[in-house]
Amino acid sequence: MDVILVAIEHVDGAPRRGSLELLSAARALAGAEPVTAAVVADAGVADAVAPFADRVLLLEGDGLRAPNHERRTAALAAAAREAGATLVLMAAGRSGQAVAPRLAVRLGGSLLEDVAGLRRDGGAWLGERLAYLSRAVLTVRSEATIAIATVKAGTYPAPAAAGGRGEVRRVPIASVVGDDLARPGERRAAGRGRVALEEAEVVVCGGRGVGSAEAFEALVVGLADDLGAAVAATRAAVDAGWRPYAEQVGQTGKSVSPRLYLAVGVSGAVQHVSGMNRSGTVVAINKDPEAPLFQLADYAVVGDVHAVVPALRSALAGMD
Amino acid sequence: MDFALSDELLELQQAVRAFARREIAPVAAALDRDPRFPWPTLRRMGEMGLLGVLTPEAYGGLGLGHLAYAVLLEEVAAADASHATIASVTNGLPQAMILRHGTEVQRRRWLPRLASGEWIGAFCLTEAHAGSDAAALRTRAVPVDGGYRLRGSKAWITSGGEAHLYLVLARTDPTTEAGARGITAFVVERDAPGLSFGAPERKLGQHAAITAGAVLDDVFVPSDQRLGAEGQGFVLAMDALDGGRVGIAAQALGIGRAALDAALAHAGERRAFGRPIREFQGVAFRLADVALRLDAARLLTHRAAWALDRAARATKEAAMAKLAASEASVDACDAAIQVLGAYGYSADYPVERYWRDARVTTIYEGTSEIQRVVIARQLHREHGRSVPEPVT
Amino acid sequence: MIIVTYVKHVPDAEARLSTEGGRIAVDGASFALDGMDEYGVEQAVRWKEAGIAREVVAVALGPAAAETALRTALALGADRAVLIETDDDLDPVAQATPLADAVRRAGADVLFVGGKQADWDSAALGPAVAEALGWPLCDWAIELRVEGTTLEAVHDVDDGVEAWSAPLPAVVTTQQGLNEPRYPTLPNIMKAKRKPFEHVALAGVAARTSTLAAALPSRARRGVRLEGDPAAVAADLVRRLRDEAKAL
């Protein structure tokens, strides 16, 4: 019998979208088996997810209010053992990335990292994931009795109707041994509080072709604002000092797969493309007719970004 | 016979290729438009070891052979010809000459600074009226108490005015019978009183390889800065030329390779009449011929390098390599412009710069005509016919 | 302080990939030291040059070909290299224990691992080894400082950056922005050949995750090219995004 445990991440008292999506994935995968949600330290969030799970384990204890990775790992390991989980679902993201492997090692399990198409085949969990800078698709299989799977936001749909009233059970977690481990300090938000890049539906990315920090602000940020989109930058734009690392998309930055990706003055080096080639619709605007990104674009706009982007903003304004 | 480069050399080649791509290639176009001597990148090339490839480790160099030198210099040239010219001159002419013919004191004095790139070296042989007929040079070296006074002018000095050290060929014996045997080699440092340089020459290409003439107005050179014996200078210079020619051949190959790569990339992307233009035989055949010539020249260059590492001289081999590589390079650049069409003619694309940079490779370090004279003379010699000894 | 810096031998960005019997095959000439790991090697070497560390050990886990990545690390300034040799394709979780053993054997206080691996596209190794060691992990570090026996850092989190600190020993995963890696100079490449190199056989480690199949999908894109008067092109693009691609 499979028991699926979904780790719920939350921010400012609300569950993250990526975690909610996992509840609907769990429901689809579990069939008749129970779906358990694990919530660290926030009773309000526990209540919010309860309608979508059969059981909610509310993990409470010293230091779990603002947990570091080790404490989160300890809490989720306790929840997994408590629930008898055979599959633990976690959202991929900086936190999931750091905790899921720890959990796999701690529980003697396997890690299915950034998987899609999760399914069972003859007693083992399987899925697909990208490799080689997002150029290859691998089918991977867990060889352990418990699998930890991290899933990117947008892979599964948000939960629709509530599946059933889940009971919330409080589970006390003892202090993590060596509680003097990593102490997160003060947090500084990147950018101006726009949509988180990895969860955005629309992304506007600027590259070296934009020309300057001022032009980036005017063209790329302006267009992103018009579309309610997240702002991204190539390594070239970040190296030039125009944008912060948090906005970088590519091999050494973030991977995104929005519904719509607009690349402004981006030539399309492999290292950048690896971070965005799973996007739904790709628009590339560049004055170089031989820009590599044009090979990957649904719409290749050959022209000067300083003329095309303002025209695009006008056209969008006129649309509504 | 193993045509493959050794694992060690491949590793060095990879490292220099990555270095050249990261550090040299990005500044090439700007330096061509707004020329200045590329001190920042030269410093990094020095740290990298590229300015003392042949000099032994005991004097601060890499102690590698001519094959490694050719392979590594080609990588530099593929990123930018000017950097390769400056490197080739400082490596191959003053440094090699001081190494082979200097006293131990002289070696210790100059080689470490040249090999590390702290100092750049230059070579002063050519004069306004004496290029191919180099032995017709007129700069005088008059013996005085403690040394010599140099009087005359030199032309077309790569790194002229920028380099720290100049290897100057001057005439100690002015009698007409002396000819080449009246020439002596001297090492002159940049701040020597009486040494001045003209404004940089305005050239077709290789703009960053600042080239200027020099005036020697009674420049005093102490005896301990004479290289070799009086009257030996010309032979010393010719001796270094084999290595110098291998260096220039490697440089030409680098430029040609860059041009061929650009042409291949373009021919794969550019579409006309419904297909990429590389599928048209007119284009495909031209590029095949270019690749053939470059590859053949590379084999000749590596063979000359190999020969030089086994014996002190490889005159015919080096002349063949230089001739083949420089002409193949100019051909490759010409083909690249043609294949790129209008884009080939545009200053927004690097191909026209490759052509301008390559065009001098058939002229300096011995024109193509001189290389043919050298080859012909060697052929006759090998066939046992005696030929009057021309001075080059 | 002794630092272990993990290095991986991965295909470079321009490598040609193909599929062969359900596995990915890479053109052999296109491998290099993973760019992400370079930031760790650079940091370790800088700390050694500053007198903070006394030894930098480069460690790799993989086939004999991984020697190349280790030699690059030696050319960048590492003092010695250890190759935990195996031809098995082991996932990061399976690698955690043998790597933790190597780190402990070296007597290290800090382990650097690249934030994400360019072949598996995985960020799991750093956290997995940290767990096997029982050490705290600073992931995606962009600033790093040693204050006595404490590691102070600034690192990336989901929605910004955060200050972080922990007592040594610790694991750090590295990324762009931490430092500017040096390139290996030719003299250092040649000197690296004389540095100690140890081979350790790896046996009895089973993969926790196996790869069943591999494919290189090429997604068909519309490939619509728009050129000409900016206003007309913009209007055309908006219309197509709305009606054709249904992306607006």
Side-chain angles (χ1 to χ4, degrees):
Chain A
M1 185 187 99
D2 273 308
V3 175
I4 302 180
L5 177 72
V6 179
I8 303 294
E9 275 180 56
H10 50 91
V11 66
D12 297 332
R16 280 195 185 261
R17 193 191 107 193
S19 303
L20 288 179
E21 291 167 2
L22 294 179
L23 283 169
S24 65
R27 176 64 61 207
L29 291 168
E33 312 290 0
V35 169
T36 307
V39 177
V40 175
D42 192 320
V45 171
D47 288 334
V49 302
F52 303 101
D54 297 308
R55 200 168 42 144
V56 179
L57 300 175
L58 172 58
L59 309 159
E60 297 176 307
D62 286 342
L64 287 183
R65 284 244 140 246
N68 59 22
H69 297 321
E70 291 88 343
R71 291 184 199 136
R72 198 186 293 278
T73 305
L76 289 173
R81 288 189 198 106
E82 172 75 24
T86 55
L87 174 68
V88 178
L89 292 177
M90 298 185 67
R94 289 282 184 257
S95 177
Q97 239 174 32
V99 173
R102 279 189 178 272
L103 200 52
V105 172
R106 186 171 297 214
L107 296 171
S110 66
L111 175 67
L112 298 175
E113 187 179 359
D114 295 349
V115 284
L118 255 182
R119 57 196 182 278
R120 234 169 179 318
D121 184 30
W125 288 103
L126 286 188
E128 266 74 47
R129 62 185 305 276
L130 297 176
Y132 295 95
L133 301 181
S134 300
R135 286 176 286 173
V137 175
L138 305 181
T139 301
V140 292
R141 181 177 68 194
S142 163
E143 301 294 337
T145 47
I146 175 171
I148 321 296
T150 59
V151 180
K152 284 195 183 285
T155 307
Y156 291 96
R165 181 99 188 94
E167 52 160 270
V168 175
R169 226 174 89 218
R170 302 178 115 94
V171 178
I173 305 293
S175 301
V176 176
V177 168
D179 217 30
D180 55 348
L181 293 178
R183 282 185 297 275
E186 125 268 323
R187 205 168 264 246
R188 299 189 310 259
R192 301 194 300 218
R194 280 193 184 76
V195 187
L197 190 48
E198 281 165 307
E199 299 196 346
E201 302 254 308
V202 184
V203 171
V204 181
C205 180
R208 194 197 293 277
V210 171
S212 69
E214 296 72 36
F216 200 106
E217 197 63 45
L219 301 176
V220 180
V221 179
L223 181 59
D225 281 344
D226 292 349
L227 290 165
V231 173
T234 63
R235 179 167 178 165
V238 172
D239 279 350
W242 303 341
R243 305 304 295 180
Y245 295 116
E247 289 180 3
Q248 186 169 312
V249 162
Q251 179 189 359
T252 54
K254 296 189 165 68
S255 280
V256 297
S257 56
R259 193 184 67 230
L260 174 61
Y261 188 90
L262 293 116
V264 178
V266 174
S267 64
V270 175
Q271 296 91 330
H272 175 70
V273 163
S274 70
M276 49 66 67
N277 65 3
R278 290 184 306 128
S279 301
T281 298
V282 174
V283 176
I285 307 169
N286 201 305
K287 79 165 187 229
D288 175 5
E290 305 204 350
L293 193 55
F294 283 155
Q295 312 279 28
L296 262 134
D298 293 290
Y299 300 101
V301 181
V302 183
D304 184 346
V305 301
H306 294 86
V308 173
V309 174
L312 185 54
R313 295 184 68 187
S314 302
L316 285 166
M319 186 177 84
D320 311 304
Chain B
M1 189 153 150
D2 190 353
F3 284 85
L5 298 179
S6 69
D7 283 345
E8 168 172 337
L9 186 45
L10 282 173
E11 198 181 339
L12 298 178
Q13 181 192 46
Q14 284 257 57
V16 176
R17 184 173 297 187
F19 167 82
R21 188 180 294 163
R22 251 156 79 170
E23 302 286 336
I24 303 178
V27 300
L31 282 171
D32 176 63
R33 276 193 301 274
D34 183 17
R36 77 200 79 141
F37 203 68
W39 286 112
T41 28
L42 283 174
R43 296 247 172 275
R44 273 171 244 141
M45 283 171 69
E47 282 162 13
M48 198 56 181
L50 287 166
L51 300 180
V53 179
L54 297 161
T55 297
E57 287 183 276
Y59 300 107
L62 292 182
L64 295 173
H66 287 85
L67 180 56
Y69 178 55
V71 166
L72 301 181
L73 204 56
E74 182 180 334
E75 295 303 324
V76 174
D80 180 45
S82 301
H83 283 82
T85 299
I86 298 165
S88 167
V89 171
T90 191
N91 263 293
L93 293 169
Q95 223 175 133
M97 288 174 70
I98 294 166
L99 176 64
R100 284 145 104 118
H101 304 289
T103 62
E104 187 57 25
V105 171
Q106 288 173 327
R107 287 187 197 140
R108 295 217 167 273
R109 180 173 169 188
W110 292 309
L111 289 181
R113 298 173 101 159
L114 288 170
S116 67
E118 188 196 331
W119 275 17
I120 297 291
F123 186 65
C124 307
L125 169 65
T126 298
E127 295 180 6
H129 62 280
S132 290
D133 186 9
L137 67 88
R138 291 184 203 147
T139 297
R140 285 278 284 119
V142 178
V144 297
D145 205 24
Y148 303 80
R149 284 215 174 266
L150 267 48
R151 227 172 259 155
S153 57
K154 292 293 185 185
W156 303 107
I157 305 165
T158 299
S159 308
E162 304 281 344
H164 305 82
L165 181 149
Y166 296 82
L167 203 106
V168 181
L169 281 303
R171 189 169 284 293
T172 35
D173 185 343
T175 58
T176 28
E177 308 82 58
R181 275 169 226 125
I183 294 171
T184 305
F186 298 94
V187 173
V188 181
E189 295 180 15
R190 182 172 61 192
D191 52 10
L195 177 64
S196 64
F197 295 90
E201 299 289 349
R202 287 164 43 216
K203 305 178 293 184
L204 177 61
Q206 292 202 28
H207 293 148
I210 302 292
T211 305
V215 172
L216 298 110
D217 188 6
D218 270 351
V219 177
F220 174 68
V221 179
S223 297
D224 64 3
Q225 284 182 215
R226 187 191 69 225
L227 198 64
E230 275 190 25
Q232 225 193 347
F234 204 77
V235 171
L236 264 50
M238 291 305 108
D239 184 44
L241 262 184
D242 287 353
R245 282 171 182 164
V246 167
I248 294 303
Q251 177 199 35
L253 290 172
I255 309 170
R257 186 179 96 201
L260 177 59
D261 286 346
L264 287 170
H266 181 83
E269 304 272 344
R270 177 77 180 182
R271 298 181 72 84
F273 309 108
R275 54 180 79 180
I277 61 174
R278 71 170 173 212
E279 290 180 20
F280 295 111
Q281 285 186 344
V283 172
F285 283 12
R286 185 82 171 88
L287 294 179
D289 286 340
V290 162
L292 163 59
R293 285 188 72 176
L294 281 175
D295 232 11
R298 186 172 290 112
L299 286 166
L300 281 169
T301 305
H302 289 182
R303 192 271 301 265
W306 169 87
L308 260 185
D309 283 339
R310 304 166 81 77
R313 303 298 301 266
T315 303
K316 183 183 73 172
E317 292 83 350
M320 284 181 157
K322 197 270 183 182
L323 175 60
S326 56
E327 298 205 342
S329 180
V330 172
D331 182 37
C333 293
D334 193 64
I337 292 181
Q338 192 68 18
V339 167
L340 262 77
Y343 296 103
Y345 205 66
S346 157
D348 285 341
Y349 288 78
V351 168
E352 59 82 28
R353 185 183 85 239
Y354 297 152
W355 187 90
R356 289 187 287 106
D357 285 348
R359 192 59 190 83
V360 69
T361 62
T362 59
I363 296 170
Y364 60 21
E365 203 103 11
T367 59
S368 293
E369 291 69 24
I370 288 296
Q371 304 304 336
R372 288 180 169 98
V373 165
V374 170
I375 296 167
R377 185 171 16 103
Q378 290 298 116
L379 289 176
H380 292 142
R381 190 173 280 159
E382 282 162 22
H383 273 78
R385 285 194 224 144
S386 71
V387 172
E389 190 81 76
V391 283
T392 19
Chain C
M1 179 198 281
I2 295 177
I3 303 178
V4 168
T5 171
Y6 170 85
V7 297
K8 195 159 198 203
H9 186 64
V10 296
D12 71 28
E14 276 90 49
R16 271 183 291 273
L17 303 178
S18 57
T19 46
E20 228 170 70
R23 309 216 132 264
I24 298 292
V26 185
D27 165 11
S30 314
F31 280 78
L33 170 50
D34 195 332
M36 284 276 194
D37 296 332
E38 269 182 48
Y39 299 106
V41 178
E42 176 65 27
Q43 195 62 47
V45 173
R46 285 191 191 189
W47 279 356
K48 173 147 178 262
E49 289 169 345
I52 298 172
R54 68 181 162 86
E55 192 189 23
V56 176
V57 185
V59 175
L61 192 157
E67 270 190 39
T68 311
L70 285 169
R71 270 209 299 271
T72 306
L74 291 173
L76 290 169
D79 297 298
R80 64 187 182 86
V82 177
L83 172 60
I84 305 169
E85 198 166 338
T86 175
D87 282 326
D88 292 338
D89 199 7
L90 293 177
D91 56 284
V93 174
Q95 291 184 33
T97 304
L99 277 171
D101 288 343
V103 170
R104 275 190 278 260
R105 224 177 17 247
D109 307 281
V110 177
L111 167 66
F112 286 119
V113 180
K116 193 166 183 180
Q117 297 178 315
D119 52 359
W120 268 85
D121 284 2
S122 165
L125 189 64
V129 185
E131 181 67 22
L133 285 165
W135 291 4
L137 166 74
C138 177
D139 56 345
W140 303 105
I142 51 176
E143 264 175 56
L144 211 48
R145 236 171 36 250
V146 178
E147 302 279 351
T149 53
T150 302
L151 197 58
E152 302 275 344
V154 174
H155 73 141
D156 275 356
V157 291
D158 273 316
D159 43 14
V161 295
E162 181 185 72
W164 181 101
S165 81
L168 292 174
V171 178
V172 180
T173 71
T174 59
Q175 64 161 327
Q176 181 193 344
L178 180 59
N179 53 47
E180 191 62 51
R182 66 196 67 195
Y183 39 75
T185 64
L186 301 182
N188 285 342
I189 291 174
M190 287 158 62
K191 273 190 215 129
K193 299 200 184 313
R194 304 191 268 259
K195 292 185 178 179
F197 203 113
E198 191 192 327
H199 289 255
V200 174
L202 180 64
V205 176
R208 302 275 186 100
T209 303
S210 59
T211 303
L212 299 181
L216 293 168
S218 57
R219 175 179 169 158
R221 291 277 176 188
R222 278 174 209 279
V224 172
R225 209 160 174 102
L226 302 171
E227 247 175 297
D229 166 56
V233 162
D236 191 9
L237 178 64
V238 169
R239 191 184 44 79
R240 287 174 183 268
L241 285 175
R242 186 188 58 207
D243 303 332
E244 198 174 68
K246 310 232 189 298
L248 276 179

